[in-house]
Amino acid sequence: MEIERSLNDFRLNFFTHIAHEFRTPLAIIKSATDKIAQADGPAPGAAEG
């Protein structure tokens, strides 16, 4: 039972850190692209709505 708990704790820690490592740079990229898109306005020929 103790080994199972340790393994579950390890998995939780691992996936928490991996998720953070992916989310952080993606959030920075998304923020930058959102700012660029707002500054440029809608793309020519883009559908409204």
Side-chain angles (χ1 to χ4, degrees), residues 26-40:
L26 291 176
I28 294 168
I29 292 167
K30 183 177 183 321
S31 174
T33 57
D34 287 348
K35 286 180 183 179
I36 291 168
Q38 287 176 354
D40 290 343

Side-chain angles (χ1 to χ4, degrees), residues 6-22:
S6 293
L7 184 57
N8 284 335
D9 287 346
F10 174 79
R11 287 179 185 159
L12 178 63
N13 256 349
F14 177 78
F15 286 111
T16 299
H17 286 90
I18 291 296
H20 172 75
E21 294 301 322
F22 279 111

Side-chain angles (χ1 to χ4, degrees), residues 41-49:
E48 292 184 18

